[in-house]
Amino acid sequence: MAMSKASQKSRRAHARVLGWSLAVILIGAMVAPLSGYLYVAVAPAAYAQQTADNWEQENPRADTWGSARRANEGYTSASGPYVVNELIINGGENWRNLRNGPVASIMPWFMAASLLVLGALYLIVGPHELKGPLSGRKVKRWAGWERAMHWFVAVTFIILAITGLSLLFGRAVLIPLLGYQGFSVWAEVSKWLHNVVGPFFTVGVLLMLLTWVRNNIFTKTDLEWFKKGGGIFTGKHVSAGKLNGGEKAWYWFVIIIGLGVVCTTGLILDFPNFGQSRETMQIANLLHAVLAILWIAISFGHIYLGVIGAKGALEGMTTGYVSEEWAREHHDEWLDEIRASGQGDAPEPDRSPAGGPAHGPAAPER
């Protein structure tokens, strides 16, 4: 019995040693590479001299390539808008490292974080349910041409998002799935769709700017809406006009960042024969990629709230009408305005068993 206890004690000791060893190995594997940065920070001059000495010893042609990369102007017989008399252009390599480095490795996490937050919001808070029964009375919210414009922009946005992400991450994500030949075909299709659909999408967003700008001016009501978080976490009613503070913030993001930067840089890339320099194209490409991914990440929230988070909102963009109860709970100030003007109502439904007059006051037709 004593030997058994000793054996168990020995095994536990070995397990602890093994556990600590694995921990030291894992921590060392993560921390050890940082020592190089520490050394450079502590002794930058010594590091620079050592690097130069090693470079001269290991690569005797360093001076030759260094001279080639100094952008000394030479001569070329080639012609074209982007042909320059330089052997090596450092800007292209810098652009490539940024695009395939931070942009391709960091920005996807914004989309993942957006989906995780929305998933947690759904599990913790859930969709907003109307507190009372529906009366059947409807209120007109969007005209037919407004809905057509919205869905045109939505569909073209989805096409651009899919094709743009395919072009940016296709080599890492799609080649293992489709193979080189399959991805080559899809990449050609994606490039063509992205270039053709982009200008039409830009026109759609510009129409949204002109159509809805008067509905998206911030007011004191919106400030109170933001202070109360739109009632998302409390479930309490928060007053709003035709559009609440969150919808207005989304609108101005689409206009300022979307139209002002993403669409503008897209046009610069789509039509390169208007005197843009190579550096301008490179900067436009990076801005386009980074802010487009951010746009996609934020759009997940817009889609979630419109389809799942606020039940009844999608009906407004599909039929043009919303229930009176939904309008009262989400946009009470707007409902009071149209009630005072006598506009925006749908015909009162017939709820009598024999098809006689409906109960309650009839709403005027528009």
Side-chain angles (χ1 to χ4, degrees), residues 291-346:
L291 295 178
I293 293 175
L294 186 62
W295 193 353
I296 294 171
I298 298 177
S299 74
F300 292 155
H302 175 71
I303 296 170
Y304 169 80
L305 293 173
V307 177
I308 301 174
K311 289 189 174 181
L314 183 61
E315 183 182 3
M317 268 299 169
T318 54
T319 68
Y321 291 90
V322 294
S323 69
E324 185 180 67
E325 291 72 25
W326 184 91
R328 176 62 64 189
E329 289 193 19
H330 292 277
H331 301 274
D332 55 331
E333 290 188 0
W334 167 69
L335 180 63
D336 292 339
E337 290 176 5
I338 62 174
R339 281 282 178 260
S341 63
Q343 298 179 353
D345 296 322

Side-chain angles (χ1 to χ4, degrees), residues 2-174:
M3 292 180 61
S4 176
K5 288 182 178 180
S7 178
Q8 292 178 1
K9 185 176 180 180
S10 176
R11 284 197 295 270
R12 287 195 295 269
H14 282 85
R16 285 195 297 269
V17 172
L18 178 61
W20 280 108
S21 299
L22 291 174
V24 170
I25 292 172
L26 292 174
I27 295 173
M30 291 183 291
V31 174
L34 301 178
S35 60
Y37 296 99
L38 180 62
Y39 175 74
V40 173
V42 173
Y47 174 76
Q49 183 62 43
Q50 180 182 352
T51 302
D53 294 341
N54 292 339
W55 181 256
E56 290 296 335
Q57 294 173 6
E58 297 174 5
N59 188 355
R61 297 182 180 86
D63 289 340
T64 302
W65 286 107
S67 177
R69 297 183 71 92
R70 290 193 187 101
N72 295 324
E73 188 169 340
Y75 168 77
T76 178
S77 60
S79 61
Y82 298 110
V83 174
V84 295
N85 297 332
E86 296 176 22
L87 181 60
I88 297 178
I89 302 176
N90 291 325
E93 185 67 15
N94 295 335
W95 162 80
R96 179 179 178 275
N97 290 333
L98 287 172
R99 179 192 183 277
N100 297 339
V103 174
S105 59
I106 295 176
M107 293 309 299
W109 290 105
F110 283 88
M111 295 188 293
S114 176
L115 293 174
L116 288 174
V117 169
L118 294 175
L121 184 65
Y122 179 81
L123 294 175
I124 297 173
V125 179
H128 179 90
E129 302 283 354
L130 295 177
K131 296 179 173 59
L134 297 177
S135 64
R137 290 189 294 272
K138 299 284 186 178
V139 181
K140 188 168 186 178
R141 183 158 174 80
W142 304 111
W145 65 273
E146 291 179 299
R147 289 182 283 125
M149 177 180 61
H150 171 272
W151 289 114
F152 172 80
V153 172
V155 171
T156 52
F157 177 83
I158 293 173
I159 294 173
L160 292 172
I162 293 174
T163 55
L165 293 175
S166 297
L167 294 172
L168 185 59
F169 305 116
R171 292 181 63 85
V173 178
L174 296 181

